[in-house]
Amino acid sequence: MLQSADLRERFLSFFEAHGHTRVPSDSLIPSGDPTVLFTSAGMNQFKDCFLGKRTDLKRAASCQKCLRTGDLDKVGKTPSHHSFFEMLGNFSFGDYFKEEAIEWAWEFLTGTLDYAGKRPSPQKRLCLDLPPERLWVSVYEDDDEALRCWQKLGMPTSRIKRFGQADNFWPSNAPKEGPNGPCGPCSEIYYDPEGKVQGPNSVEVWNLVFTQYDRQSDGTLKPLPKPNIDTGMGLERLARIIYDMPTDYETELFIQLMEAVNGLGLRGGAQREDSLYAQRAIADHMRAIVFLISEGLLPSNESRGYVLRLLIRRAYRLGLRVLAVEPETEGRNQVPGGEMIQRMHPKAFLYRLVDAVRNGMQGSPYTPELMARYEHVMQVLSQEESQFAGTLQAGESRLRVLLEALKREQQRILPGEKVFELYDTYGFPIELTVDIAGEEGLQVDRRGFERAFGAQQKRSRSASQFSGGVFVTDTLPIRQAIPSLLPKEQLFVGYEGLQVDAVIQGLWDGKEWVTQAAAGQSVGIVLDRSPFYGEAGGQVGDVGTIDGPRGSADVQQTTWADDVLVHRASVRAGSLSVQDAVRAQVDPERRLKVARSHTAAHMLHWALRKVLGPEAVQAGSFVEAERVRFDFSSLQ
């Protein structure tokens, strides 16, 4: 039977044979892209190719590590929802289009060049030989071109379904609801073990996205001069189909990990439905946890670190409360870092699953990094779950009191300020509160929590003249706020020079968008192009000046809000207006100082690894003109 390593290799070799460049997986923590927390799709690392900023690559294929947390409530409950997964994808940047994408997808899956199988593939040794009669496809209801491509392969009309923009357009419902920018119809390939069309056991295998339009602010779809291809096929789902298993968790990718979860010493076994869900969710979360830590991320209460902490605490609680994991009494010194782990909380157990995650990835491109970071992962994970074990009892006890009070008062919704109290005082993530309340048939006031959380943020920002609004990316999605005003794509030209002529596209006064800002006013300025580096990756943004025909402003900080670069400035003289032609100038002396600090951070990291060994890894940093803060972790 094909192993997961074989599936990866066959896919990449197949598309290499069709002229694609094999590109290694990017990190889960994307470099140079402050607009996303994690790499969530194969296309992330090719964003510059899709936007035309990079022109040296026309065709590419990859197997990309991905992390998504939007469906955590479904992980473990459905056959194929995951937080961590691998995505196989082939991409065209203004090169081939629908016909080739559809033909090659069919060829790779079936080993034939037509539905009837009369024309075997020249690359048949790399193909999967799935029975054509078990596959059916969907196309966007208005995409006659894709329909004709499938018909050309001989696909029976009865096995081609037309769906609307909610199902077969990317982004979903984009023609009607936006956002503005590149978009297009898609065609999805499904596998049904019984050969049924839209059967209950049908599995979505492969999504072929045809990025061919540029949505305008009035809702019209303007054809792109060079349409692109962006496809995605989950390795876990593909393995499930190849192995003929009911869920992803029975495949070779998960089997060792599921056995390890079962080996945690579960009291009374784990056969009930809720126990099976917990086992699967723990197995899923552990893969995400191990990879995130191995890439240098540490648990924290902010940003990416918060997501890691949430996954650890969610998995820990499922093991402790749902599976009733037995404490380990022996063998702690039998693993690397055992002496340290011996001092951990007696109820720590997730670290015992790290071996199974690593073994499940044997033969993958990621094996070397997992081997090199093994002890570091063990240390970070055991420390975090030990810390949580010490606070879980107090936090959950307080929550139980609150839930019992709700029941006595015949109420069903836990107030948001109480939820925030649990988060702020006990480090209890709202997602865990939602889980536990749900087990009792109760709900949580999420909006109230967000208000309380926002109030705390406002208090912490009270010393700053910029409070709330556009500078808090979770509060105001700029694109949705004024899609007709802001540019679809800003040009950052700060590597080519420190001065550029630009046009003001937006002005934010801290409360609302305005058309003009006068002397003495603090304002956020959005330009169509900018030489200013926005704060990202622990490095401060640029400062400088913006000068127009009727006024000037001093830029005091440059930050990102959503995917828009905002120049936080004070108008020095006159006034600035939307659509003014201005000259943006970075302070060259400060930019040089920050650049030197950036270099110093790299030199310090090199020196630490030289002295302490490869386990000394960066855990965070803050780079500014006058100083560098460098956070690192080490087993030494």
Side-chain angles (χ1 to χ4, degrees), residues 13 19 22 103 137 218 254 300 336 340 362 381-382 508 531 538 624:
S13 295
R22 181 189 298 219
E103 286 181 356
V137 301
D218 61 0
F254 279 94
S300 72
M340 173 276 302
Q362 288 294 336
L381 180 54
S382 57
W508 176 261
E624 55 183 348

Side-chain angles (χ1 to χ4, degrees), residues 35 450 453-454 457 461 466-483 485-486 506-514 524 526 559-566:
T35 67
E450 290 167 1
F453 185 77
Q457 285 188 315
R461 293 194 303 266
F466 285 94
S467 56
V470 70
F471 302 114
V472 184
T473 59
D474 290 336
T475 304
L476 176 62
I478 295 180
R479 290 263 187 260
Q480 284 72 12
I482 48 169
L485 180 61
L486 294 182
L507 295 169
W508 176 261
D509 71 355
K511 295 181 180 179
E512 61 183 350
W513 294 99
V514 295
V526 179
T559 59
W560 288 94
D562 287 347
D563 55 351
V564 174
L565 192 62
V566 181

Side-chain angles (χ1 to χ4, degrees), residues 323-583:
L323 300 184
V325 172
E326 293 280 10
E328 185 184 36
T329 57
E330 298 178 357
R332 290 196 170 200
N333 285 319
Q334 306 305 311
V335 297
E339 184 177 346
M340 173 276 302
I341 292 172
Q342 186 69 35
R343 298 193 298 271
M344 293 296 105
H345 195 282
K347 290 187 176 180
F349 60 87
L350 291 177
Y351 73 91
R352 291 152 54 188
L353 302 175
V354 174
D355 266 339
V357 174
R358 184 183 63 171
N359 293 339
M361 286 290 170
Q362 288 294 336
S364 76
Y366 328 119
T367 301
E369 69 183 76
L370 293 179
M371 294 292 290
R373 307 303 311 285
Y374 175 70
E375 293 188 14
H376 171 72
V377 172
M378 294 283 285
Q379 181 188 45
V380 171
L381 180 54
S382 57
Q383 287 178 337
E384 176 66 17
E385 63 174 318
S386 177
Q387 175 184 331
F388 184 51
T391 60
L392 177 63
Q393 185 173 358
E396 190 162 354
S397 295
R398 173 59 179 160
L399 176 56
R400 294 292 178 190
V401 170
L402 295 173
L403 296 179
E404 288 301 320
L406 276 184
K407 291 178 181 178
R408 286 195 302 271
E409 297 166 6
Q410 296 185 331
Q411 301 293 317
R412 302 196 60 79
I413 300 177
L414 184 64
E417 60 270 19
K418 298 297 183 182
V419 180
F420 180 73
E421 173 195 324
L422 290 166
Y423 168 83
D424 196 39
T425 305
Y426 299 96
F428 224 72
I430 181 176
E431 291 83 0
L432 284 188
T433 302
V434 171
D435 285 348
I436 296 171
E439 292 167 4
E440 300 293 330
L442 302 174
Q443 298 177 346
V444 165
D445 176 16
R446 284 182 173 269
R447 290 188 177 180
F449 169 83
E450 290 167 1
R451 285 194 297 269
F453 185 77
Q456 186 200 54
Q457 285 188 315
K458 185 175 181 180
R459 289 192 296 271
S460 68
R461 293 194 303 266
S462 60
S464 171
Q465 55 190 329
F466 285 94
S467 56
V470 70
F471 302 114
V472 184
T473 59
D474 290 336
T475 304
L476 176 62
I478 295 180
R479 290 263 187 260
Q480 284 72 12
I482 48 169
S484 63
L485 180 61
L486 294 182
K488 298 179 185 64
E489 180 59 34
Q490 288 174 294
L491 293 178
F492 170 68
V493 294
Y495 294 139
E496 290 81 9
L498 301 184
Q499 179 178 290
V500 68
D501 292 330
V503 176
I504 294 179
Q505 298 289 325
L507 295 169
W508 176 261
D509 71 355
K511 295 181 180 179
E512 61 183 350
W513 294 99
V514 295
T515 58
Q516 187 178 75
Q521 189 172 354
S522 296
V523 67
I525 304 174
V526 179
L527 304 174
D528 65 335
R529 57 206 315 259
S530 174
F532 286 77
Y533 177 84
E535 181 174 332
Q539 180 170 313
V540 296
D542 282 326
V543 302
T545 59
I546 295 177
D547 299 305
R550 293 179 296 276
S552 302
D554 295 320
V555 178
Q556 298 147 344
Q557 188 178 2
T558 309
T559 59
W560 288 94
D562 287 347
D563 55 351
V564 174
L565 192 62
V566 181
H567 308 77
R568 301 167 63 165
S570 176
V571 181
R572 181 175 66 255
S575 65
L576 295 175
S577 301
V578 173
Q579 295 303 315
D580 274 358
V582 295
R583 176 156 293 178

Side-chain angles (χ1 to χ4, degrees), residues 3-13 15 22-23 25 41-43 46 60-66 85-91 108-109 128 205-208 230-239 242 253 365-366:
Q3 301 295 301
S4 59
D6 298 322
L7 292 177
R8 292 188 197 93
E9 182 57 35
R10 283 198 181 197
F11 177 87
L12 295 172
S13 295
F15 280 98
R22 181 189 298 219
V23 180
S25 173
M43 62 80 63
F46 301 115
S62 68
C63 180
Q64 174 64 53
K65 295 176 292 183
C66 297
F85 61 97
E86 296 178 70
M87 184 175 285
L88 301 165
N90 59 287
F91 309 90
F108 178 70
L109 291 176
L128 301 183
V205 184
W206 207 340
N207 189 11
L208 315 177
D230 166 18
T231 84
M233 175 165 56
L235 178 66
E236 292 77 7
R237 290 188 185 186
L238 183 61
I242 296 298
L253 286 162
Y366 328 119

Side-chain angles (χ1 to χ4, degrees), residues 611-627:
V611 175
L612 299 177
E615 294 305 318
V617 296
Q618 182 173 350
S621 66
F622 188 68
V623 177
E624 55 183 348
E626 305 299 335
R627 71 184 183 99

Side-chain angles (χ1 to χ4, degrees), residues 272-313:
R272 300 194 320 274
E273 184 177 345
D274 57 343
S275 296
L276 183 58
Y277 145 67
Q279 286 179 282
R280 291 171 174 173
I282 291 172
D284 168 90
H285 290 1
M286 278 301 302
R287 298 206 314 162
I289 289 164
V290 169
F291 272 94
L292 286 173
I293 297 176
S294 72
E295 293 194 3
L297 190 63
L298 294 178
S300 72
N301 286 330
E302 297 179 354
S303 191
R304 297 182 177 102
Y306 174 78
V307 175
L308 173 58
R309 173 161 285 169
L310 168 64
L311 290 169
I312 294 172
R313 293 186 171 189

